[in-house]
Amino acid sequence: MNTSSPSIPVAPARRPSERPAQHLSPRADRRSWFGLLLVLGPALLISMDGSILYLVMPTLTNALAPTAGQALWILDSYGFAVGALLITFGNLGDRYGRRKLIMLGAIVFGIGSAGAAFSPTPEWLIGFRVLMGIGGATLLPSGLGVLSELFLDLRQRSTAIGIYAATFAAGFAIGPVIGGVLLSFFDWGSVFLINVPVVVLVVVFAPIVLRRGARAGSGRVDLASIALSAAGLLAVVYAVKSLATEGPTWVGGGVGIAGAAILMLFLRRQARIPLPLVDLSLFKSRLFAIAIATGLLTLFAWSASAYLGGMYLQSVLGLPVLTAALLALPGAVVLTVTCILTPRLTERIGARAALVLCHFTMAAGLALLLATITAHGIGWFVAATVVASFGFGISFALVADTAVSALSPDRAGSAGAIA
């Protein structure tokens, strides 16, 4: 998400707070809202599957007896596949039709989920987790991008994007809770099987409620850009995970440097080719650049605080895993509601003021964690997550709306991949 090609219509970036005095675009009908409901299902499942194994791993380890390295890959292979392929599939959806890609991604995700549920060995489970990640990378950007086709009215589109962002964020937060509940009644494979009914509904109803939509054109897909994007992202993510789990190593450092070099080659290529995977000209907009940087920083803060907070509650305070997960729910509720209400907030105070507010509230919330001690601190933890989640919610919704609004509807999948 190059201005070198006049054949790609690029809409000027607008502030999400800027709304026309009158709604000149047609209002969404019932079919559009059903379409939103349909794409929310995969968004929820994809984010849940990023965290649902946090509580399941002890049971899964007893069942399959993976090595330490295999256990790490069971957790991480899914995220690797999603992160490495988002940009690729976002552009393919724009090029060949997002409805078609959503249906294909749902089928792949469903096959991967069913296979993971009945995997007899760690190797099979890792392979099916990769397949699930490929399906997730197919569904996410097209699911967000299709909202620009369903909702032509700008205000309704912002609301729909806020709901989508809220659903995705909530899924990651409730994943461990859902996993803990399922393990109370069923085998570990149930955490994957719950995906299958939703996938069936998507495949059946997508042709009915989703429109074909505009396409960015039939130009040749740049395979070199796809390879550079996937390889560079995969190498960088691997290096970060290696640093987190093993500390500084020559292998991890070398892979990280190689990944950064590959991504630099990828960006240089995007500036030269007529149909880039990432439109670098978008970053000339100060609001767009700040919004994307805010989204990146928010994910760093959110992921780190969630992980370390869970470790604090379990390892320091000695709380059961499910209890620790339940204590995160108040923050998840605030985050979800804030995502939905952010479009109204930006209408009142503007996108720039909303970005400033989200940074201050995130900082204030995380600062409350300084009051926690080894003897007690549950109240401070809950207060910190509630305050910080207000900022997290503003960031997720505003970043998604800013990204999707920066490009014409036929390239919304590319924007969604960056968001």
Side-chain angles (χ1 to χ4, degrees):
M1 282 190 5
N2 204 318
T3 56
S4 59
S5 173
S7 62
I8 305 176
V10 178
R14 63 164 180 83
R15 285 179 282 180
S17 57
E18 294 176 350
R19 307 295 179 200
Q22 296 179 345
H23 295 289
L24 301 180
S25 300
R27 304 280 288 178
D29 55 13
R30 184 179 301 177
R31 176 183 175 184
S32 297
W33 292 106
F34 275 121
L36 171 63
L37 185 63
L38 188 72
V39 298
L40 289 183
L44 182 68
L45 294 179
I46 292 166
S47 58
M48 278 177 50
D49 277 294
S51 62
I52 200 168
L53 289 186
Y54 289 171
L55 292 182
V56 179
M57 280 305 295
T59 303
L60 192 153
T61 299
N62 290 333
L64 297 183
T67 65
Q70 289 173 334
L72 183 64
W73 278 105
I74 289 173
L75 285 170
D76 293 342
S77 56
Y78 174 78
F80 282 172
V82 173
L85 297 172
L86 273 176
I87 292 177
T88 295
F89 284 120
N91 280 267
L92 290 178
D94 291 342
R95 196 73 55 83
Y96 299 111
R98 287 184 279 272
R99 187 177 72 176
K100 182 186 301 182
L101 212 64
I102 286 174
M103 295 176 64
L104 177 61
I107 293 172
V108 172
F109 190 77
I111 294 174
S113 299
F118 297 104
S119 294
T121 66
E123 292 85 357
W124 278 99
L125 180 56
I126 292 170
F128 282 118
R129 286 279 283 172
V130 171
L131 193 62
M132 290 175 63
I134 295 173
T138 307
L139 287 164
L140 273 182
S142 291
L144 181 57
V146 80
L147 299 183
S148 63
E149 302 168 358
L150 296 174
F151 299 92
L152 301 180
D153 179 85
L154 298 180
R155 184 172 183 178
Q156 288 187 322
R157 183 188 302 172
S158 293
T159 300
I161 290 174
I163 294 173
Y164 188 91
T167 302
F168 185 81
F172 194 87
I174 67 175
V177 179
I178 299 297
V181 171
L182 287 172
L183 283 183
S184 301
F185 300 96
F186 306 104
D187 186 67
W188 63 266
S190 61
V191 301
F192 301 115
L193 280 181
I194 60 171
N195 299 337
V196 176
V198 177
V199 166
V200 172
L201 290 175
V202 171
V203 174
V204 171
F205 288 102
I208 300 173
V209 299
L210 299 183
R211 298 176 174 87
R212 288 184 178 272
R215 301 185 184 183
S218 57
R220 181 177 62 88
V221 176
D222 187 53
L223 297 180
S225 291
I226 291 177
L228 290 171
S229 169
L233 286 171
L234 181 61
V236 169
V237 172
Y238 173 85
V240 172
K241 295 295 256 183
S242 174
L243 179 64
T245 56
E246 303 175 16
T249 63
W250 286 107
V251 173
V255 172
I257 293 173
I262 292 172
L263 289 179
M264 289 299 297
L265 291 175
F266 168 76
L267 292 176
R268 289 185 61 183
R269 185 172 182 84
Q270 302 315 291
R272 296 197 307 264
I273 62 177
L275 292 173
L277 292 186
V278 175
D279 189 348
L280 299 180
S281 66
L282 289 173
F283 291 90
K284 294 179 181 179
S285 166
R286 183 180 301 176
L287 178 62
F288 181 88
I290 293 176
I292 295 300
T294 296
L296 183 62
L297 292 173
T298 299
L299 285 173
F300 272 125
W302 185 42
S303 302
S305 61
Y307 173 74
L308 295 176
M311 293 292 291
Y312 168 75
L313 294 175
Q314 297 173 64
S315 300
V316 178
L317 299 185
L319 299 178
V321 181
L322 186 56
T323 302
L326 290 174
L327 288 174
L329 286 184
V333 172
V334 172
L335 192 156
T336 303
V337 173
T338 303
C339 283
I340 297 173
L341 297 181
T342 290
R344 304 294 171 263
L345 177 67
T346 55
E347 285 181 349
R348 290 181 174 272
I349 68 175
R352 287 179 173 85
L355 283 172
V356 172
L357 178 62
C358 90
H359 282 282
F360 273 112
T361 50
M362 284 190 294
L366 295 177
L368 293 175
L369 293 174
L370 294 173
T372 58
I373 59 176
T374 56
H376 57 81
I378 292 177
W380 287 110
F381 171 81
V382 174
T385 56
V386 167
V387 175
S389 291
F390 182 73
F392 295 154
I394 295 175
S395 173
F396 292 149
L398 192 54
V399 168
D401 189 29
T402 301
V404 172
S405 302
L407 283 175
S408 55
D410 63 344
R411 301 206 63 199
S414 305
I418 289 184

